[in-house]
Amino acid sequence: MLDGMPHRDVVSATAAIGALTRRGRHRDALAMFSRVLAGGVAPNEFTFGTVLRSATALRSPRVGAQLHACAAKLGLCSIVYVGTALLDHYAKMGAMREAQGALEDTSEPNVVSYTALIAGLLKNGMFGDADRLFRRMPERNLVSWNAMIGGCSQAGMSEEAVNLFLEMCREGVTPNQSTFPCVFTSVANEGALGVGKSVHASAIKFLGDLDVYVGNSLVSFYARCGSLEDSVLAFKKMKQKNVVSWNALICGYAQNGRGEEALNAYKEMRATGLKPDNVTLLGLMFGCNHAGLVDEGYALFKTAEMEQPGILKPEHYACVVDLLSRAKRFYDAKNFLEELPFEPGIGFWKALIGGCQIHWNRELAESIAKRIHALDPKDTSSYILLSNVYSAAGSWQSVSMIRREIKEKGLKRITGCSWIEVQDKVHVFFNGDCRHQQSDEIYSMLEAFPGKMIEINMNTQLCDQDKSSKKVRRPLVRVCLSPSSMLIPSGPHS
């Protein structure tokens, strides 16, 4: 119809380009723009705002730069509609310097312009720049607050995300359905159950009925904080449930060591007519793994292999290795590894060596460790796992040798920690930690603590105190904990 028009103008041309863009025909939209330009029709700001979306969808910085040059030639870059489209394109391409330049070239940038740039800065890890821009925005709306909260949450800056949410509420901005999933994910990452309950109350106050996305994040939050009863209650109160809802419940049961309940939830899910996806299967296998349900977990994997092979990921195969090795079925685990349809990575061998640690299989652990070191000589965790195997077997000379090797090679390891929430504040502790302000009271209590779970070794160790340069003697406290093997995805949209 456009080609048949006797007099094409910019309005009809822009409408045709927009129709192609909305249909996902981005190459055709760019070709149409070129034809219109060659036909002597001068594009306006709306034409550029439309066609730039196609350049972004095609992930083409070169086309975006050409469109930018064309807009500059026509004197349109200062118009807010074009400037915002340009900076959004550059931000999504990761070209943050060009995106900031596009904002500076815009004569009167609005809240949409600033929010697009903030989202790009957060996506590219430039949190300081994003926060400074957010603070000097002439106007902030709910979308800009959500962009900051969501960006911090996705980047693992959980405390910052929660603080932003509280600040937003104090400024009188009413959160919406898009705000709360990010906030619940952040408080779950912090393990702050008390704060999360307050956020839950805010969600009911501001939203009334919670949609499926908020409900999913709520189920996941309570499960990850160990409040399984509240997680199940939140699930039951949901008016709408999808696969993600059931995944949140199943993974919650699995994370809390309730394998039987996870299997029962799976049966209920199938009864509703919903099909499992890769997250469902991973959660079920994880639950079976830690509940000792070896046959059930292996049967689930074989069923998926026959009925839904498309949902199987490397994580599922690694979970089978972990499942068999934990059950002391090392022969079956090795055969399974040899028959994999792909080359197993380091994670698979770590799963097997984890089972060796549980069952004190020193010889197999040593052979696996050599294989891991050949694949990645700088992998610290394999040295730690082998050291744990020697420690469990009482081979302290070998433990010292491994630790010396770690030190000589200059390898660094992430120190394990524990945390506990007291009066809405999370306290983090490392092994032999003396830096907490109440460390004297804590160690005094531990020395007097009865029970079999805690062994106080009165052989002392040197600890540094941050408050002074003095060296003090503290009892070495060893807490018996069950080893963990692998993580499963969590969160409202997993």
Side-chain angles (χ1 to χ4, degrees):
M1 288 186 68
L2 184 69
D3 290 337
M5 291 178 66
H7 301 289
R8 284 180 290 181
D9 59 10
V10 67
V11 176
S12 56
T14 303
I17 293 169
L20 292 169
T21 300
R22 286 191 296 275
R23 289 295 183 114
R25 296 173 58 180
H26 301 295
R27 296 189 184 280
D28 292 335
L30 290 168
M32 175 71 73
F33 177 82
S34 298
R35 285 168 54 196
V36 167
L37 201 63
V41 179
N44 61 15
E45 63 267 32
F46 302 109
T47 315
F48 279 103
T50 302
V51 75
L52 276 165
R53 289 201 292 271
S54 291
T56 304
L58 293 172
R59 306 291 300 173
S60 178
R62 180 172 172 271
V63 173
Q66 289 177 326
L67 291 171
H68 189 176
C70 185
K73 183 178 180 180
L74 295 171
L76 300 175
C77 288
S78 61
I79 299 174
V80 65
Y81 195 77
V82 178
T84 302
L86 281 168
L87 74 87
D88 181 66
H89 167 77
Y90 283 126
K92 288 177 178 175
M93 296 297 102
M96 297 314 303
R97 181 180 296 179
E98 288 81 356
Q100 289 173 324
L103 181 69
E104 292 169 2
D105 291 340
T106 306
S107 59
E108 294 181 3
N110 57 21
V111 66
V112 179
S113 312
Y114 283 101
T115 303
L117 184 54
I118 286 169
L121 290 167
L122 288 167
K123 186 178 179 181
N124 288 276
M126 303 169 69
F127 306 107
D129 293 332
D131 185 66
R132 283 189 290 273
L133 182 63
F134 179 73
R135 299 298 172 188
R136 66 180 178 85
M137 282 177 67
E139 177 191 357
R140 289 192 292 246
N141 63 7
L142 178 59
V143 178
S144 52
W145 280 102
N146 282 349
M148 281 295 295
I149 293 169
C152 289
S153 177
Q154 290 173 13
M157 301 172 65
S158 303
E159 187 175 352
E160 289 81 355
V162 175
N163 289 336
L164 281 165
F165 170 75
L166 298 175
E167 184 182 349
M168 180 182 78
C169 293
R170 282 195 295 268
E171 291 197 7
V173 181
T174 302
N176 64 1
Q177 302 279 5
S178 301
T179 313
F180 286 99
C182 297
V183 181
F184 281 126
T185 300
S186 297
V187 290
N189 290 340
E190 290 287 295
L193 180 60
V195 176
K197 286 184 176 180
S198 299
V199 177
H200 185 183
S202 298
I204 295 171
K205 174 185 175 182
F206 290 120
L207 305 179
D209 291 332
L210 309 183
D211 69 7
V212 67
Y213 302 107
V214 179
N216 292 345
S217 62
L218 194 60
V219 173
S220 180
F221 153 70
Y222 278 120
R224 290 176 62 192
C225 287
S227 184
L228 196 54
E229 290 182 2
D230 290 324
S231 176
V232 174
L233 183 61
F235 177 82
K236 289 180 177 178
K237 285 187 175 182
M238 291 177 64
K239 294 179 180 179
Q240 288 182 305
K241 298 181 181 70
N242 56 17
V243 175
V244 178
S245 314
W246 287 97
N247 286 350
L249 181 67
I250 290 168
C251 290
Y253 279 130
Q255 288 170 329
N256 287 274
R258 308 278 280 274
E260 292 283 0
E261 287 89 338
L263 290 172
N264 292 334
Y266 170 67
K267 292 174 184 176
E268 292 178 27
M269 172 188 167
R270 293 302 299 264
T272 64
L274 291 171
K275 285 188 176 182
D277 61 10
N278 63 311
V279 178
T280 318
L281 179 61
L282 191 59
L284 288 167
M285 293 180 66
F286 184 84
C288 291
N289 194 333
H290 287 269
L293 304 172
V294 182
D295 294 333
E296 290 84 347
Y298 192 69
L300 284 166
F301 175 82
K302 297 303 289 184
T303 301
E305 197 174 34
M306 290 186 293
E307 298 178 359
Q308 293 178 276
I311 69 171
L312 293 178
K313 308 290 182 186
E315 293 87 349
H316 300 100
Y317 292 93
C319 201
V320 172
V321 176
D322 192 44
L323 184 75
L324 295 171
S325 61
R326 279 175 173 268
K328 209 176 180 178
R329 292 167 57 176
F330 296 114
Y331 179 78
D332 294 334
K334 288 186 70 177
N335 285 344
F336 183 82
L337 276 170
E338 291 170 1
E339 295 172 1
L340 284 177
F342 52 87
E343 187 66 27
I346 291 177
F348 290 83
W349 299 108
K350 286 181 183 177
L352 190 54
I353 204 173
C356 296
Q357 177 185 339
I358 297 170
H359 299 290
W360 302 2
N361 193 329
R362 175 175 171 172
E363 292 182 5
L364 181 58
E366 287 175 340
S367 65
I368 296 170
K370 289 178 182 177
R371 186 186 290 265
I372 294 174
H373 296 162
L375 291 171
D376 185 4
K378 295 184 178 180
D379 183 75
T380 311
S381 59
S382 59
Y383 289 92
I384 303 301
L385 285 169
L386 185 59
S387 174
N388 292 339
V389 173
Y390 288 140
S391 177
S395 181
W396 302 111
Q397 186 176 356
S398 299
V399 172
S400 299
M401 180 186 67
I402 291 290
R403 290 179 178 174
R404 193 184 311 114
E405 191 174 356
I406 292 174
K407 189 175 181 180
E408 289 173 353
K409 290 185 177 181
L411 302 176
K412 294 183 179 180
R413 62 191 181 97
I414 299 173
T415 307
C417 65
S418 303
W419 63 90
I420 186 171
E421 182 185 357
V422 180
Q423 296 180 349
D424 294 338
K425 184 177 181 181
V426 178
H427 301 262
V428 182
F429 299 94
F430 297 91
N431 182 33
D433 202 340
C434 301
R435 293 171 293 179
H436 194 274
Q437 58 184 359
Q438 292 178 277
S439 59
D440 290 336
E441 299 173 53
I442 293 168
Y443 279 105
S444 297
M445 177 62 72
L446 285 171
E447 289 172 14
F449 197 93
K452 296 180 180 179
M453 287 301 292
I454 297 180
E455 173 192 347
I456 304 296
N457 185 345
M458 295 313 293
N459 296 326
T460 56
Q461 65 176 17
L462 285 176
C463 294
D464 291 327
Q465 282 186 318
D466 289 344
K467 294 178 285 187
S468 67
S469 60
K470 296 179 180 178
K471 300 286 185 178
V472 295
R473 294 277 178 177
R474 293 289 185 220
L476 174 62
V477 181
R478 293 187 294 187
V479 183
C480 302
L481 299 172
S482 60
S484 60
S485 60
M486 60 185 294
L487 298 176
I488 59 176
S490 58
H493 304 293
S494 294

